[in-house]
Amino acid sequence: MTARVATPRHPRTIRRPASVGVSVPKVEGFDKVTGRALYVDDLRVPGVLHGRTVRSTVPRGRIRRVVLDPAFDWDGVVVADHRDIPGRNACAHIEEDQPLLAADEIRHADEAIVLVAHQDPERAEAAARAVSVEVEPLEPVLTIEESLAKKALLFGDDNVFKEIRIARGDLARGFADADVTVEGTYRCGHQEQLYIENNGMIAERTKDGGLLVRGSLQCPYYVHHALMVAFGLPADKVRVVQTVTGGGFGGKEDYPSMIGGHAALLAWKSGRPVKIVYDRLEDIAATTKRHPALMRVRAGVKRDGTLTAWDMDIVMDGGAYVTLSPVVLSRGALHAGGPYRCPNVAIHARVVATNTPPNGAFRGFGAPQTQFAAECHMERIAATLGLDPLALRRRNAYRIGDVTPTGQVLRESVGALEVLERTAKRADYQAKRRRYARENAAAEQAERAGRRAPAAVPRLASGAPARKAGAGRGPGDGRRLRRGIGLALAWHGAGFTGSGEVRLASTAALDLTADGRPRILSANTEIGQGALTVFAQIVAERLGVPPGLVLVNASDTGQVPNSGPTVASRTTMVVGGLLERCATGMRERLELFAERPIAGADDFRRVARRFLRERGPLRIERRYQKPPEIWWDDEHYRGDAYGVFSYAAIAVEVEVDLDTGEVAVLDVTTAQDIGKAIHPVLCAGQIEGGTLQGLGYALLEEVRWKDGRIWNHQLTNYIIPTSMDAPPIHVELVEIPYSHGPFGAKGVGELPMDAPAPAVVAAIAYATGVRVDQIPVIPERLLAALARRGVR
Amino acid sequence: MSALVTLSFTVNGRQRRVRAPAMKRLLDVLREECGLTGTKEGCGEGECGACTVLVDGLPVNSCLIPAVQADGAKIITVEGLAKGPKLTALQTAFVEMGGAQCGICTPGMLLSSYALLRRAKGRVPREAEIREALAGNLCRCTGYQKIVDAVRAAARKGPRR
Amino acid sequence: MRSALSTLEVATPRDLAHALRLLHDSLATGRAVPLAGGTDLLVYLNAGQQVGRRFLNLWGLGELRGIRETRGGITLGALTTFTQVREHPLVRRRLPSLAAAAGVIGAWQIQNRATLAGNIANGSPAGDSLPVLLAHEAVVHARSVRGARDIPFDTLYRGYRDLVLDPDELITAVTVPFPPPRAFAFFRKVGTRRAQSISKVVLCGLLRVARGGEVDLARIALGSVAPVPLRARRAEQALLGAKPSATAAAAARAALMEDIAPIDDIRSDAAYRRAVAGNVLEQFLRAADARFTRG
């Protein structure tokens, strides 16, 4: 659906379709609703071998020997271990400390040791079971506390992978200025990304002595780099292609390098194509998770709620190897003050080593953890001072011109107050607080007196209308319910931190196909968020053509330049921005050639084909240019951490069952300032999806461990929300444009993850009077907290 | 006792005859012997519903059905919904309203929705009904909101699909 | 899928008699595992758990299907799916707890395949229909080549996942008596989320307060709080003859704690199960009669 906009340029009116700001049909939508979309496991590869991975069953130890059971028929089975790696035994990311396959030592449970492959998947499975690894176990370090206490030294001389300090003003002075000091300790656990498509890769040797690897991934050039290192191959001998990817959320940012390296090694050794696709049991057990975090906050406030000092200590659990931890820590630390002005700030952040599978990227990337603490702390401050939580946030939220803890001046596009007001208004926050307080008091009274409580509106019926209240639900069914509403405000920087975008030096391109259509060449991947569609819209708008004319090339390192990874909420803002410049450049070239403006799809193709005939190929490439006013000092952690921040506020309404500790989320309202919604439906979709992941983070999703291994590694026991757990989610898009974003767009992918969890905790506190400082607030935890506070 | 069986069933209206291990999962028979890869595996435990197909009109997890029990069945997979290039109102609603993001849950989600709309016989289901009908289809991308909206919109479009 | 499915053998009997013959004959060389809807068995196979090498495919046996009213109750065929249970007008009207339980098992896809006998024979103490069958004093009809017998539900489980059925016996049907007149029926499952969940505590209760003001019927059955689903006999005794009151509720709760033996496991912990079992019991009592207030 495109709107028609008349844009007079010359005496005659030229009609060009508008694309940006319109919710056009999704580019790859047809394939996805007809079953035509080919995910990695759908690809038929003649002669393929099925790979399986033999993993450690203990979290720490020394490998004594590997035994292939002599009673097993190994005919046709390919076996590979670390000795078969042609290049360096490393799964290269920032560092190269993580091996592709364990050689002498085990540093985490389910660490990969041996690979096997066979044409028959059942034989491959049996072969994996016929490999035994004798390990001399060592005492593992399994928690943040054990690591800090140096139960064993796993890294350096203190187990700290990375340490960051951010300081502003004079902390001592800030506390001296305060009327009240409020302290709190907060804790977040692991979270599994739980993309519905498990990790999978297909690898094969190419005729020129290189490798072709295809699969489910977010960053083809990351895999490309890792393969170059592991196989000692030059860049042009490695080709990585993204297949249709069934969700990533960060879980396919760095892990594909590992599984891709494994498939490639088996292919390398056997000369046959190899497919490795994990089942859910293996995917949950072995792949990356969100970093757990332990955070202590000490805040100084004036009686009217003005923040004078903010002192925060953060420790994250990085798992066994460095991988992405320094970057996660960085983003976490940079967001740790919340979107609030405070003249005196000290943030001390560390990420430590443990003998658990390395943690990695998950939407939000450190910011959901630290903002969980920050927002819970704001609620604690409000409660301590007897202030309305909305008023407290209003008083302290950033405005244009304010300065962040790294000394960044927020020059433009600061929607903090706007989203706060819009959310509170749409959710009817104040009125609901009064109403719930009244209803809760009435319910309590009725229960004491043995009267039927005023009929609570029943939530979702179970289906069978049980006459005599047999289903245990509905009015008069004896349930003891309390309701609450909670608020939270968050911010999220778009793009790579600090000088990251400069270091990435991303390049994207636009060329013409033989039949005159514009084609986007970027390494950014469609993982559900709508990147292909948004790119097409941006390019179409600048070219003056309908988005359906624009093609997007596959994300194939053999065909596209390195536009950087699909992470960090950078895809629309940074890469979309590059493509906007490409499209402007292409339009200028073609109009110069035609000596007139181009109007519409047919005209474009005619001009383009003529250009190709007369001048040859056309390819416009643009590279990232840092806006001149942005500066960053990596050594002292000062300056403009991000070009711009997006802002979100959320109001969450809950119903707590005092008998079971179950928390039902009744409704969610959220306003989010994302600069510009290139595609309003996709934009709202990102917000809704991220919000529900945040609710799962708050209430349901817990990784449970047993002897250093993940215990609940089946979908039956790792609990994500179903449609019946999900509330209606009301989204308001706020557009406060950013001058350096395409059409004003900022980032939206991760922002929705930051505010839901603390809002849920605030709502529970309002409903029950009990504040829980650790997520997930599973019923066991809430019931115990209620009991401790005498709420039976 | 036999490890191999010969099965006759229809898939999307087409008669099929397949020889396969008796305990092979219907999911794998559809994807391999029938070449229909639209139905997906997300968990192998009957939790995620990505493998949902209709067997004799009822949505079921094909990862939990042994091939031998599919003999004589009428099966509908996602490939059987559209008529060539002409999408059903349900599929169109998913594409236009943001019901499909990464798309991996979409085939199963469409079949459960389709089954719901058939049962509703032209009535527009309430939100609670839609959410219950889809409770066996996990989605990690959308938050379910736009899926629910798309199903309701499709129901409003007409008596069938 | 971590099991080698191609190595597994399946027999598909023509009818019940054939099935019983095949099952009996299989004992000599390794018992064939009865396979109904497969919603538990296939999950074990997927995880690579050894369930068996040979299977007896019962799915096509029409004799094991059907729901019909008998004198004083409803008889449901072994292969009745939970969708059939929850949608049957007679079940909804006369056994609402059973319909309610059917509606909270998994989700639609599971309910369309999971069977009553499968839930019973799988023998998990977390089976959602089991407390309902217990509380209603259901009777399991079993058959073998030697003949038929009836097994009262509360004698069915010897221990954890251990049924008194002979290895060559099949469940053919279950008869669930209607609750006594004027009995208040209650069912609640507390799971890990709103759907697609395994119960942490599941309770079915029947209660009646006689015209004289005392409880004259109290049946309370729970799952997930012991190695087997159980009747909370001490709690029932504490209620029988008592007048609804806060004291009576407290006494029943205290007695319940003696009936149950919950553990810590992958889904929850003993302390939670204890607290919730007691709370849900009190909720049941409150819902039955508002005078059972919380102390």
Side-chain angles (χ1 to χ4, degrees):
Chain A
M1 243 183 5
T2 55
R4 295 198 152 265
V5 172
T7 313
R9 270 280 292 264
H10 277 258
R12 76 180 201 286
T13 301
I14 296 160
R15 310 215 300 142
R16 291 197 194 88
S19 183
V20 165
V22 177
S23 293
V24 304
K26 211 159 187 267
V27 159
E28 78 289 4
F30 183 89
D31 286 352
K32 285 177 173 170
V33 297
T34 55
R36 277 181 178 71
L38 295 175
Y39 300 79
V40 66
D41 200 28
D42 300 329
L43 298 176
R44 293 281 151 261
V45 181
V48 78
L49 303 179
H50 297 271
R52 293 285 185 276
T53 311
V54 178
R55 300 179 178 280
S56 164
T57 57
V58 299
R60 186 168 178 238
R62 270 186 271 275
I63 297 175
R64 284 286 165 243
R65 70 190 178 130
V66 174
V67 178
L68 304 187
D69 183 0
F72 183 82
D73 177 10
W74 292 96
D75 183 45
V77 180
V78 184
V79 182
D81 65 29
H82 66 99
R83 298 167 297 182
D84 296 302
I85 298 170
R88 299 201 282 286
N89 180 11
C91 185
H93 297 291
I94 306 167
E95 306 293 337
E96 290 184 15
D97 63 323
Q98 183 181 31
L100 202 57
L101 290 171
D104 311 305
E105 54 167 349
I106 298 294
R107 294 214 197 161
H108 64 84
D110 293 288
E111 186 162 16
I113 307 168
V114 172
L115 303 167
V116 299
H118 192 277
Q119 198 160 281
D120 173 1
E122 287 182 358
R123 284 289 303 283
E125 188 70 39
R129 278 199 295 272
V131 177
S132 49
V133 183
E134 291 170 19
V135 178
E136 176 199 309
L138 294 168
E139 194 57 36
V141 175
L142 296 175
T143 66
I144 287 172
E145 284 82 353
E146 287 180 357
S147 186
L148 287 173
K150 298 192 227 175
K151 182 181 173 195
L153 271 185
L154 306 178
F155 183 87
D157 58 7
D158 59 2
N159 287 335
V160 178
F161 284 134
K162 174 92 181 178
E163 183 166 10
I164 291 171
R165 285 185 195 276
I166 298 173
R168 179 177 183 229
D170 177 343
L171 201 64
R173 236 271 298 282
F175 282 109
D177 287 347
D179 294 325
V180 179
T181 297
V182 180
E183 293 192 24
T185 301
Y186 308 94
R187 194 169 204 123
C188 306
H190 292 89
Q191 190 187 13
E192 159 59 37
Q193 298 86 347
L194 226 299
Y195 27 75
I196 303 294
E197 183 212 15
N198 291 308
N199 275 281
M201 288 290 197
I202 298 172
E204 46 203 294
R205 293 187 77 148
T206 56
K207 289 190 185 64
D208 64 354
L211 282 168
L212 166 64
V213 172
R214 295 177 284 166
S216 190
L217 53 85
Q218 292 174 226
C219 315
Y221 274 99
Y222 278 8
V223 181
H224 184 266
H225 172 71
L227 292 172
M228 283 175 61
V229 169
F231 290 86
L233 290 168
D236 62 351
K237 287 256 160 50
V238 177
R239 187 170 159 210
V240 179
V241 184
Q242 184 222 8
T243 51
V244 180
T245 296
F249 316 113
K252 294 173 182 169
E253 173 175 344
D254 61 340
Y255 198 79
S257 298
M258 178 69 78
I259 182 177
H262 290 168
L265 187 61
L266 286 166
W268 191 264
K269 186 156 187 189
S270 65
R272 298 268 295 270
V274 173
K275 178 197 278 198
I276 300 182
V277 176
Y278 289 171
D279 66 10
R280 185 61 62 183
L281 299 164
E282 182 171 22
D283 199 295
I284 296 180
T287 69
T288 64
K289 308 276 173 293
R290 186 184 296 287
H291 289 63
L294 174 62
M295 295 150 292
R296 275 178 272 268
V297 190
R298 199 166 59 106
V301 257
K302 291 225 175 284
R303 221 154 268 302
D304 68 359
T306 307
L307 288 169
T308 61
W310 187 268
D311 179 16
M312 191 158 173
D313 186 274
I314 300 156
V315 186
M316 293 191 185
D317 179 348
Y321 299 101
V322 173
T323 66
L324 296 170
S325 290
V327 203
V328 174
L329 187 75
S330 169
R331 190 174 270 273
L334 289 165
H335 288 79
Y340 301 112
R341 42 184 28 181
C342 182
N344 308 294
V345 176
I347 292 163
H348 177 221
R350 288 170 293 172
V351 57
V352 299
T354 60
N355 293 114
T356 61
N359 295 311
F362 188 168
R363 200 173 196 170
F365 207 74
Q369 295 95 312
T370 59
Q371 290 191 86
F372 170 70
E375 278 302 278
C376 283
H377 206 62
M378 290 299 275
E379 287 285 318
R380 182 166 251 111
I381 291 169
T384 305
L385 296 174
L387 288 175
D388 169 44
L390 175 59
L392 176 68
R393 288 181 170 88
R394 217 183 255 135
R395 179 174 288 284
N396 292 289
Y398 281 136
R399 287 121 166 103
I400 292 215
D402 281 345
V403 182
T404 74
T406 62
Q408 175 170 4
V409 178
L410 298 170
R411 281 178 220 97
E412 59 168 315
S413 188
V414 178
L417 285 172
E418 176 86 28
V419 297
L420 189 62
E421 300 307 332
R422 294 263 285 252
T423 298
K425 179 156 179 232
R426 174 105 179 243
D428 214 10
Y429 176 71
Q430 309 284 32
K432 290 252 172 69
R433 271 166 67 93
R434 287 192 297 272
R435 184 179 123 199
Y436 288 151
R438 242 183 4 251
E439 285 178 3
N440 292 340
E444 176 144 2
Q445 253 196 335
E447 285 156 25
R448 280 196 206 290
R451 289 194 312 271
R452 295 262 192 254
V457 176
R459 219 195 147 226
L460 304 173
S462 76
R467 293 295 160 78
K468 291 179 187 168
R473 271 178 154 30
D477 66 6
R479 282 193 304 161
R480 300 187 305 133
L481 305 171
R482 301 289 180 269
R483 293 190 173 183
I485 184 168
L487 198 62
L489 180 68
W491 63 333
H492 207 92
F496 260 44
T497 303
S499 32
E501 289 296 338
V502 173
R503 272 198 306 275
L504 272 179
S506 301
T507 307
L510 193 62
D511 73 356
L512 287 175
T513 62
D515 64 342
R517 292 176 70 174
R519 176 172 56 193
I520 291 170
L521 301 163
S522 97
N524 290 83
T525 52
E526 170 64 53
I527 52 174
Q529 82 286 53
L532 302 183
T533 307
V534 166
F535 281 175
Q537 287 175 273
I538 290 172
V539 165
E541 182 85 20
R542 282 289 173 243
L543 290 180
V545 300
L549 188 69
V550 182
L551 294 167
V552 187
N553 200 75
S555 189
D556 172 350
T557 60
Q559 295 176 347
V560 303
N562 189 351
S563 55
T566 302
V567 303
S569 305
R570 63 187 295 275
T571 303
T572 299
M573 191 180 91
V574 176
V575 186
L578 293 178
L579 290 170
E580 187 193 8
R581 285 165 51 206
C582 290
T584 303
M586 177 175 277
R587 166 99 159 260
E588 280 166 3
R589 280 297 294 276
L590 291 175
E591 288 186 343
L592 198 67
F593 168 76
E595 292 173 339
R596 61 169 177 79
I598 298 173
D602 294 336
D603 194 27
F604 183 94
R605 288 183 86 161
R606 263 197 307 272
V607 173
R609 283 201 286 259
R610 188 158 72 88
F611 184 99
L612 291 169
R613 270 197 315 272
E614 296 180 22
R615 299 285 167 86
L618 176 59
R619 179 187 159 108
I620 311 280
E621 201 169 274
R622 291 287 178 267
R623 165 181 260 176
Y624 175 75
Q625 280 164 0
K626 178 184 79 66
E629 67 273 17
I630 289 175
W631 68 281
W632 176 253
D633 174 355
D634 208 52
E635 203 196 319
H636 300 102
Y637 251 69
R638 297 211 39 80
D640 300 322
Y642 303 93
V644 72
F645 291 83
S646 301
Y647 298 84
I650 194 169
V652 174
E653 293 173 52
V654 304
E655 179 178 79
V656 179
D657 187 317
L658 294 181
D659 288 325
T660 64
E662 289 170 297
V663 178
V665 181
L666 301 175
D667 208 78
V668 166
T669 299
T670 178
Q672 311 218 352
D673 162 30
I674 41 70
K676 169 77 183 174
I678 306 283
H679 189 300
V681 164
L682 290 176
C683 195
Q686 284 302 286
I687 293 170
E688 289 154 11
T691 296
L692 189 62
Q693 288 180 350
L695 296 177
Y697 185 43
L699 290 169
L700 296 173
E701 299 180 41
E702 184 172 58
V703 174
R704 301 210 170 103
W705 300 83
K706 199 179 197 187
D707 303 324
R709 302 187 77 177
I710 295 181
W711 193 12
N712 59 330
H713 61 118
Q714 309 145 278
L715 216 47
T716 305
N717 294 317
Y718 182 83
I719 309 299
I720 68 169
T722 68
S723 53
M724 284 178 75
D725 298 284
I729 302 171
H730 312 287
V731 174
E732 280 204 19
L733 297 176
V734 174
E735 295 176 313
I736 303 180
Y738 171 50
S739 62
H740 297 299
F743 305 97
K746 302 192 279 191
V748 66
E750 296 173 278
L751 172 72
M753 197 81 215
D754 294 332
V760 168
V761 165
I764 293 171
Y766 195 75
T768 62
V770 170
R771 198 169 299 282
V772 179
D773 295 328
Q774 179 178 2
I775 47 173
V777 187
I778 51 172
E780 287 77 1
R781 197 160 275 139
L782 181 55
L783 210 62
L786 291 171
R788 276 197 301 274
R789 289 281 298 272
V791 181
R792 274 186 63 251
Chain B
M1 277 286 167
S2 170
L4 276 179
V5 287
T6 305
L7 310 166
S8 291
F9 50 87
T10 67
V11 184
N12 301 328
R14 202 182 120 192
Q15 187 72 31
R16 299 267 191 170
R17 223 174 129 73
V18 155
R19 192 144 173 81
M23 287 298 278
K24 184 163 181 168
R25 302 177 305 177
L26 176 60
L27 169 66
D28 299 314
V29 171
L30 291 169
R31 287 173 58 80
E32 295 167 19
E33 278 83 352
C34 299
L36 297 167
T37 58
T39 309
K40 313 294 181 194
E41 173 167 355
C43 72
E45 304 165 46
E47 287 289 319
C48 74
C51 67
T52 303
V53 297
L54 301 189
V55 172
D56 300 329
L58 297 176
V60 291
N61 294 315
S62 62
C63 75
L64 298 181
I65 298 180
V68 65
Q69 291 184 350
D71 194 27
K74 267 185 60 182
I75 299 169
I76 301 188
T77 69
V78 65
E79 290 94 340
L81 290 177
K83 298 253 183 285
K86 182 158 161 50
L87 297 177
T88 61
L90 188 60
Q91 288 164 303
T92 304
F94 267 62
V95 174
E96 290 181 352
M97 296 174 66
Q101 286 192 25
C102 82
I104 194 79
C105 80
T106 302
M109 201 62 88
L110 283 170
L111 287 160
S112 293
S113 306
Y114 177 68
L116 170 68
L117 294 183
R118 278 223 308 224
R119 274 167 69 100
K121 293 195 192 28
R123 185 180 56 85
V124 179
R126 288 172 295 117
E127 181 180 345
E129 278 179 88
I130 298 173
R131 287 183 183 273
E132 195 194 343
L134 300 182
N137 293 85
L138 296 180
C139 174
R140 196 51 160 167
C141 294
T142 66
Y144 303 103
Q145 186 63 60
K146 295 197 176 329
I147 291 175
V148 172
D149 294 344
V151 173
R152 219 190 345 242
R156 286 198 185 107
K157 272 237 161 65
R160 227 176 304 121
R161 288 156 170 227
Chain C
M1 170 51 69
R2 297 185 175 192
S3 296
L5 298 181
S6 71
T7 65
L8 305 178
E9 294 181 332
V10 184
T12 299
R14 288 181 300 275
D15 53 32
L16 179 60
H18 188 202
L20 293 174
R21 167 71 27 209
L22 286 174
L23 184 57
H24 177 77
D25 291 347
S26 75
L27 295 188
T29 46
R31 177 179 180 261
V33 178
L35 169 64
T39 56
D40 285 314
L41 278 178
L42 271 288
V43 179
Y44 303 142
L45 289 174
N46 184 65
Q49 258 175 269
Q50 280 285 59
V51 226
R53 311 246 63 177
R54 302 147 85 204
F55 295 83
L56 190 64
N57 174 24
L58 306 174
W59 188 251
L61 297 181
E63 295 156 86
L64 299 182
R65 295 208 146 84
I67 299 177
R68 53 178 215 288
E69 185 169 0
T70 59
R71 196 184 359 218
I74 298 177
T75 297
L76 303 101
L79 294 182
T80 307
T81 66
F82 284 105
T83 296
Q84 289 164 342
V85 171
R86 78 185 276 202
E87 291 186 344
H88 199 277
L90 191 61
V91 175
R92 285 154 73 104
R93 205 171 63 246
R94 302 297 302 272
L95 294 175
S97 306
L98 190 60
V104 297
I105 288 177
W108 275 19
Q109 291 94 322
I110 298 292
Q111 291 165 21
N112 285 331
R113 288 279 304 181
T115 62
L116 194 55
N119 205 217
I120 295 168
N122 187 48
S124 164
D128 296 324
S129 71
L130 309 183
V132 179
L133 299 173
L134 255 183
H136 287 71
E137 298 183 344
V139 173
V140 171
H141 307 291
R143 239 182 221 282
S144 71
V145 291
R146 292 176 297 290
R149 64 170 174 140
D150 290 345
I151 306 169
F153 207 87
D154 65 349
T155 65
L156 187 61
Y157 297 103
R158 266 194 293 251
Y160 179 68
R161 289 188 190 258
D162 186 15
L163 284 76
V164 299
L165 290 176
D166 293 332
D168 63 346
E169 262 184 314
L170 284 178
I171 297 171
T172 56
V174 181
T175 294
V176 187
F178 297 133
R182 290 195 314 108
F184 174 80
F186 176 96
F187 173 83
R188 183 164 187 187
K189 166 183 176 175
V190 179
T192 51
R193 57 187 170 192
R194 299 273 141 198
Q196 285 285 57
S197 79
I198 298 183
S199 72
K200 299 178 184 180
V201 171
V202 53
L203 186 151
C204 180
L206 294 170
L207 193 90
R208 186 174 63 196
V209 179
R211 300 194 205 279
E214 291 126 16
V215 173
D216 73 346
L217 175 78
R219 297 200 212 143
I220 302 162
L222 293 102
S224 297
V225 292
V228 297
L230 54 79
R231 284 276 294 271
R233 305 274 184 197
R234 291 179 186 81
E236 292 172 1
Q237 283 307 307
L239 285 165
L240 285 167
K243 283 186 152 58
S245 68
T247 314
R253 184 196 184 109
L256 179 68
M257 295 302 120
E258 302 297 312
D259 286 319
I260 63 178
I263 56 169
D264 296 346
D265 69 7
I266 195 169
R267 265 174 295 283
S268 187
D269 57 60
Y272 178 78
R273 290 183 158 116
R274 228 171 245 297
V276 172
N279 290 343
V280 173
L281 171 67
E282 292 199 54
Q283 180 203 349
F284 157 49
L285 297 176
R286 260 196 317 273
D289 190 308
R291 290 169 293 176
F292 279 116
T293 49
R294 215 172 150 85

